[in-house]
Structure formats: structure tokens, C-alpha cells
């Protein structure tokens, strides 16, 4: 893990994340570290049904959890992430010939928490892979940061994320608002190379298409960082 790129994002990187809602950081991992991350991600989902797109609870896997501290140090050094932020979720998303899927335009509104509680500002409770998820107020969602580590090439034919720049600044979007923002701002395709980081705000409107050349694979380790205390009487299901 010592090979995580020590170079800082350009001075405008943190501002771009705040204004546009996303930022590509090339070459954060390379060589042996990248291979190790890929092997640890594969080991964490070993035995998962081949039809599954991924897993949402990889912080329980020591190999994946070990990447939290170096990623936090790297991003905090460039003001992209608060130094006291904690990882509250890690997921692996994988596309291949046998797992080829698309995701419609949406915002990431649900977060994993320790247990369900009653609070007038909490809604959209659900349960996935044995964990409780809730849709908290925008005030908390705006304090969260997604860090996506690309383990494989992700070009235009590999089903990369497409995002609507700046859409995170408009809070929780109704369908009509999302459509208007996409029409006005357009969309940006977030292609990436192995070892690149894609950093984004969960409220950013995003989607992905099926891969059109699924003979390879597209694996992404997806970390969610947030404040240690989420507020609203909530507790995270896990923190690192």
C-alpha cells in the first residue's frame, strides 16, 4: 500500500469536486498494490452468486478494509476528504460477460446504519444483505464522499459511470428536476484506467450502461466516507 500516489491533486481539484460533484484522480494505485487490491476484492466476494453485480459489506473483509487508511490520508492531504472522515461502507461492483447490467439515472440516497429508529426526518428504510439502510436528510448526504477505485480498464464500451455535472448542488431531485438538469448541463462519461480514483458526491445524478464489449471485466471498489457522528439519532453499521 506504500505505492499509493503521493502527488496531490491540482489546487483546483478540491474546488472542482465541490462545484462539479466529481473528480478523477489518475494513477493512485499501480503495480503490486493494484494487483493486491484486485486479489483482495476477488477474495472478499468469493462464493457470491455469479449473477450478482457485487457486494455491499466489504468493510468486514480485512483485505478491503486495509485500504481505508491510505486512501483517507491521500485525499485529506489535498482537502478532498476531511481528515477525521470514517469509511462506513465498501462495495465491489463488477461487470463481465456473465454480469452485465445497467443503472438508470439516480442519486445515492440510502446509507447503511446499525439499526432502524424512529425519527421524523428519516425515511425510505430498507434491508439489503442483512444491513439496515435509510434515506437521511440532504444535510447528511451532502457530507458524504464516494471514492471509487478502478481495478480494470473502464472505457466507453465498458459501462462507465455517466454523471450530470453540478447536479449534487440541487438537493434531492424529483424526476422532472433530474430531467431538466440533465438537459441543461448535459452528461459526462467518467472513463478510467486501472488504479484511477473517481471521487464523487452521492447526490450527484449518475447512471451507467451495460458494457458493449463484456468479454473483459470491469471491477470497481466503491468506498463511502462520512462524518464519525451522522446525527439524527443514527449510528453507522460499521466505521473504520
Amino acid at each position: 500500500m506504500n505505492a499509493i500516489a503521493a502527488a496531490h491533486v491540482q489546487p483546483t481539484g478540491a474546488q472542482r469536486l465541490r462545484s462539479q460533484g466529481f473528480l478523477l484522480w489518475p494513477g493512485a494505485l499501480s503495480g503490486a498494490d493494484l494487483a493486491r487490491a484486485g486479489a483482495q476484492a476477488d477474495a472478499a466476494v468469493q462464493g457470491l452468486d455469479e449473477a450478482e453485480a457485487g457486494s455491499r459489506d466489504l468493510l468486514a473483509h480485512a483485505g478491503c478494509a486495509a485500504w481505508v487508511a491510505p486512501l483517507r490520508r491521500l485525499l485529506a492531504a489535498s482537502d478532498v476528504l476531511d481528515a477525521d472522515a470514517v469509511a462506513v461502507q465498501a462495495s465491489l461492483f463488477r461487470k463481465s460477460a456473465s454480469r452485465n447490467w445497467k443503472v438508470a439515472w439516480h442519486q445515492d440516497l440510502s446509507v447503511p446504519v446499525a439499526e432502524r429508529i424512529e425519527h421524523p426526518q428519516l425515511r425510505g428504510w430498507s434491508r439489503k444483505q442483512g444491513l439496515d439502510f435509510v434515506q437521511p436528510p440532504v444535510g447528511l448526504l451532502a457530507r458524504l464522499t464516494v471514492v471509487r477505485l478502478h481495478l480494470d480498464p473502464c472505457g466507453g464500451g465498458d459501462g462507465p459511470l455517466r454523471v450530470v455535472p453540478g447536479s449534487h448542488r440541487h438537493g434531492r431531485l424529483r424526476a422532472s428536476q433530474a430531467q431538466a438538469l440533465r438537459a441543461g448541463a448535459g452528461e459526462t462519461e467518467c472513463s478510467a484506467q486501472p488504479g484511477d480514483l473517481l471521487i464523487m458526491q452521492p447526490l450527484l445524478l449518475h447512471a451507467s450502461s451495460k458494457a458493449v464489449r463484456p468479454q473483459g471485466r470491469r471491477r470497481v471498489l466503491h468506498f463511502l466516507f462520512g462524518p464519525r457522528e451522522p446525527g439524527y439519532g443514527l449510528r453507522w453499521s460499521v466505521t473504520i
Side-chain angles (χ1 to χ4, degrees):
M1 281 168 239
N2 293 329
I4 285 187
H8 291 232
V9 171
Q10 294 179 357
T12 57
Q15 287 98 349
R16 179 179 176 185
L17 178 61
R18 296 182 184 105
S19 64
Q20 297 296 300
F22 70 102
L23 174 68
L24 182 66
W25 188 319
L29 263 70
S30 61
D33 272 356
L34 181 59
R36 187 180 303 114
Q40 289 166 333
D42 289 340
V45 296
Q46 189 173 12
L48 191 68
D49 190 323
E50 284 296 307
E52 292 287 339
S55 176
R56 294 180 172 86
D57 60 353
L58 297 191
L59 286 183
H61 189 277
C64 294
W67 292 101
V68 169
L71 286 172
R72 178 167 45 218
R73 286 194 300 269
L74 176 69
L75 300 179
S78 291
D79 197 30
V80 173
L81 189 69
D82 290 340
D84 59 351
V86 292
V88 301
Q89 187 182 18
S91 309
L92 177 68
F93 298 123
R94 49 187 186 161
K95 289 185 181 180
S96 67
S98 60
R99 295 181 295 267
N100 197 7
W101 38 276
K102 67 177 181 179
V103 180
W105 288 100
H106 71 287
Q107 299 170 292
D108 289 341
L109 300 176
S110 295
V111 297
V113 293
E115 70 276 315
R116 182 167 180 158
I117 66 169
E118 295 299 324
H119 190 288
Q121 292 182 270
L122 301 176
R123 64 185 190 180
W125 287 96
S126 62
R127 194 162 177 84
K128 306 171 188 177
Q129 294 185 319
L131 299 175
D132 287 312
F133 284 75
V134 67
Q135 294 184 11
V138 167
L140 175 56
L141 293 171
R143 299 176 64 193
L144 305 180
T145 303
V146 169
V147 180
R148 292 168 59 93
L149 169 59
H150 284 267
L151 301 173
D152 303 297
C154 187
D158 300 307
L161 277 189
R162 306 190 315 278
V163 304
V164 176
S167 53
H168 66 299
R169 294 184 278 109
H170 298 269
R172 195 188 305 261
L173 298 172
R174 297 189 300 273
S176 58
Q177 292 175 302
Q179 184 176 10
L181 282 170
R182 185 183 170 201
E187 60 185 70
T188 298
E189 184 178 87
C190 298
S191 297
Q193 293 300 313
D196 290 355
L197 297 178
L198 177 61
I199 306 157
M200 57 183 281
Q201 301 298 312
L203 285 169
L204 185 73
L205 192 62
H206 59 284
S208 70
S209 301
K210 284 187 175 183
V212 297
R213 49 170 186 254
Q215 65 272 20
R217 58 179 179 172
R218 190 219 73 173
R219 295 167 301 160
V220 178
L221 265 175
H222 175 116
F223 294 90
L224 179 64
F225 287 87
R228 185 170 295 277
E229 299 295 336
Y232 308 100
L234 293 171
R235 294 187 300 120
W236 298 118
S237 58
V238 61
T239 60
I240 294 181

